[in-house]
Amino acid sequence: MPADLAVLGLGHLGLPAAQAASAIGVGTVGYTDDQHTTTELNAGRPPADSTLAAADLRRMLAAGFQATSDPTVLARVRTALICAPTPPAADRRTLDLTGVLDAARTLAPRLRPRTLVVLESTVPPGTTEDLLAPALEAGSGLRAGRDFHLAHAPGRLDPGNRSHDYSGTPRVIGGLTPACTEAAAAFYGRLADKVVRAKGVKEAETVKVLETNYRHVNIALVNEMAVLCHELGVDLWDVVRCAETKPFGFRSFRPGPGVGGHTPPIDIAPGRLRMVELAQEVNARMPGYVTQRAATLLNEYGKSVRGARLLLLGVTYKPDLPDQQGAPAREIARNLTELGGRLSFHDPYVTQWRVGGQPVPRADSLYEAAAGADLTLLLQHHSVYDLQGLAAKAQLLLDTRGATPAGAAYRL
C-alpha cells in the first residue's frame, strides 16, 4: 500500500497516531532515524515501554504500516505529522525543541506543494509559526499557508484509558490560516469522532499548556493536603471520598509519590505562571517526602533504613502500563539506597530495572518478598496486586496511592 501519511517520531504520540490511521486504511509510514527501532517495529516487536501490544502492531503491519529510517519516503506523502519528543531542557523550566527542529529539517527538502503538516508535539505557544514554519520554508522553498498547509493539534491521548480511546477523544485543531485549519480538520475527522477548531495555531498550542498545568496544579494541591493532613492526624483519603460526592465545582485528584508522564509542567513565560512554578516545586518534593515517611515508619518500629530490606511495588508512572517516563520510583529508590537500604522491586510490567546505573533485584515471589521485607512501599497500584493479601503478608506496608483498605496499611 503506498504511503499517504508519514508520522515523524514513533514514541508515545507517534505510534498511537500511526495505529489509528492504519486501522482505517490510511497508508502510513513511520519515520525515525533510530535504525534499531525501525527494525524492531517491522519485526512486530513494539518498544518495551509502549502501550502498543504486539498484536496491535501485527495488525498495523498487516494493514501496510512500515517503519523506516529512509527520509526519501517522506516525498511521497500528502500528510505529515510531527510527533517528536520535547523533553524538559537542561534548565528544567523550558522544553527541548531539538527533536521538532530535526524532524522539520528532515521533512523540508521532501515537502511538496499542498502537503498538510501538523505538529503534535508539546510546544510553547508560537513554536509552530515562529520556529517550525521558517524551518520548513527554508528547506523547501515553499511558503507555509500558501504552498502547503500547516497546523497544530495538541496530543491528547491518555495512555491506557479504556473509556476515552484515540477516536473517542476530541481533537483540537488550529491552523496557520483558515484553509490550514480546514485541511487539518478534514484529516483528523477521519481519526476522531469530534474535531474542535481553535481560533488559530497559538490558541491550539496553548490548549496543551492549560490542560497540562491544570493536572499538575491540582495534583500539587492534593499532595500538599496529604502532607498537612498527616501532620494533623486527619485521614485525607476519607476527606477526598467525601468531597468527591459534591456534584458540582469539584473534581477529584489523588496524592501520590510524585508526578510522572511525558509532559512536564509548561511555564511559557518563566516567572509569569507563578502557580505552575509552585506546583512543580510541591510535586518535586514528594519523592523526598515518601523517603522521609518510610524512614520514620521504620524508626517507629525500632529499625533504621540502613541495612533494612525494602521492597518497592510498581515502578511505572501509570497503573497497568510498562511506561516508566518520569516515574518517581527511581528517585525514591535512589534516596533509600543513599540511606543504606537494601532494595528489591516488583512490577508485572518491568522485568529489569536499574537505579544509578546499578541493577535492582527483581522479586520473583511477591508474597515471599513482602513477608521478608522490613518495609514494603506501594508506589504504583497495578490491578494485579491483591492489596489485602499483601497487607496481611507484609511486615510493614506504606501505601502511597491510598489503594489499600482503611486500616490495612499506613497510607500517604
Side-chain angles (χ1 to χ4, degrees):
M1 178 188 298
D4 185 51
L5 167 68
V7 178
L8 289 81
L10 297 176
H12 74 286
L13 289 176
L15 277 177
Q19 180 187 12
S22 298
I24 62 169
V26 177
T28 304
V29 61
Y31 174 81
T32 173
D33 59 6
D34 185 342
Q35 184 64 54
H36 175 73
T37 296
T38 62
T39 300
E40 290 293 291
L41 288 172
N42 289 330
R45 294 186 290 268
D49 61 352
S50 173
T51 59
L52 188 70
D56 296 326
L57 180 55
R58 287 195 296 270
R59 281 190 286 270
M60 290 170 61
L61 294 169
F65 171 77
Q66 183 181 18
T68 184
S69 296
D70 178 9
T72 62
V73 302
L74 303 177
R76 299 194 291 270
V77 302
R78 292 189 296 176
T79 303
L81 306 184
I82 296 179
C83 300
T86 52
D91 61 8
R92 308 301 297 177
R93 294 165 62 90
T94 56
L95 299 177
D96 183 352
L97 304 179
T98 303
V100 172
L101 272 175
D102 287 345
R105 290 165 181 156
T106 300
L107 175 63
R110 289 104 188 163
L111 195 59
R112 297 186 302 168
R114 296 182 295 280
T115 300
L116 167 65
V117 180
V118 183
L119 178 61
E120 287 202 6
S121 306
T122 299
V123 294
T127 300
T128 305
E129 187 173 1
D130 301 333
L131 185 72
L132 181 58
L136 292 172
E137 291 174 343
S140 67
L142 304 175
R143 276 288 297 276
R146 185 190 69 186
D147 303 317
F148 68 93
H149 296 300
L150 181 62
H152 184 78
R156 275 187 144 186
L157 187 65
D158 183 17
N161 191 324
R162 297 181 181 180
S163 301
H164 301 286
D165 59 8
Y166 196 99
S167 64
T169 303
R171 295 307 302 263
V172 173
I173 307 297
L176 196 62
T177 66
C180 292
T181 298
E182 291 310 311
F187 171 76
Y188 281 97
R190 303 167 65 187
L191 304 183
D193 297 336
K194 183 178 182 180
V195 171
V196 180
R197 292 165 175 81
K199 182 179 179 180
V201 66
K202 288 184 180 179
E203 283 78 12
E205 291 168 326
T206 310
V207 166
K208 184 67 173 181
V209 176
L210 177 59
E211 292 176 349
T212 296
N213 289 339
Y214 174 86
R215 171 178 176 254
H216 283 274
V217 166
N218 280 280
I219 291 175
L221 171 61
V222 78
N223 278 337
E224 281 211 304
M225 288 292 297
V227 176
L228 175 63
C229 285
H230 177 69
E231 294 172 355
L232 297 177
V234 173
D235 186 342
L236 169 72
W237 304 97
D238 190 59
V239 173
V240 172
R241 179 185 66 83
C242 294
E244 65 188 1
T245 63
K246 186 179 181 183
F248 54 89
F250 181 83
R251 181 184 173 191
S252 181
F253 283 79
R254 299 290 195 276
V259 183
H262 292 266
T263 308
I266 306 170
D267 192 350
I268 57 178
R272 296 289 298 278
L273 294 177
R274 295 172 58 193
M275 192 174 294
V276 174
E277 288 187 343
L278 181 58
Q280 194 166 13
E281 292 175 11
V282 170
N283 291 330
R285 288 199 298 262
M286 291 309 291
Y289 177 69
V290 170
T291 304
Q292 173 196 328
R293 287 287 303 274
T296 301
L297 187 56
L298 283 167
N299 287 337
E300 288 175 357
Y301 283 83
K303 298 178 181 179
S304 168
V305 175
R306 182 167 298 280
R309 294 163 297 180
L310 307 172
L311 174 64
L312 308 185
L313 301 184
V315 298
T316 63
Y317 95 88
K318 286 195 76 173
D320 301 328
L321 292 177
D323 197 338
Q324 300 175 44
Q325 181 67 36
R330 185 165 274 106
E331 184 176 347
I332 293 169
R334 190 180 300 114
N335 294 342
L336 293 170
T337 300
E338 290 174 355
L339 292 174
R342 296 161 51 197
L343 267 59
S344 62
F345 86 98
H346 181 276
D347 193 301
Y349 299 93
V350 179
T351 56
Q352 295 181 344
W353 194 49
R354 302 177 72 87
V355 173
Q358 299 299 316
V360 178
R362 187 178 191 275
D364 294 322
S365 175
L366 178 56
Y367 291 104
E368 287 182 16
D374 296 303
L375 175 64
T376 299
L377 291 90
L378 178 69
L379 302 181
Q380 188 54 265
H381 179 208
H382 295 303
S383 60
V384 298
Y385 286 151
D386 172 12
L387 298 183
Q388 189 113 26
L390 280 168
K393 287 284 187 180
Q395 296 185 43
L396 287 173
L397 176 60
L398 176 58
D399 175 8
T400 69
R401 297 290 179 176
T404 52
Y410 293 90
R411 297 198 286 187
L412 190 64

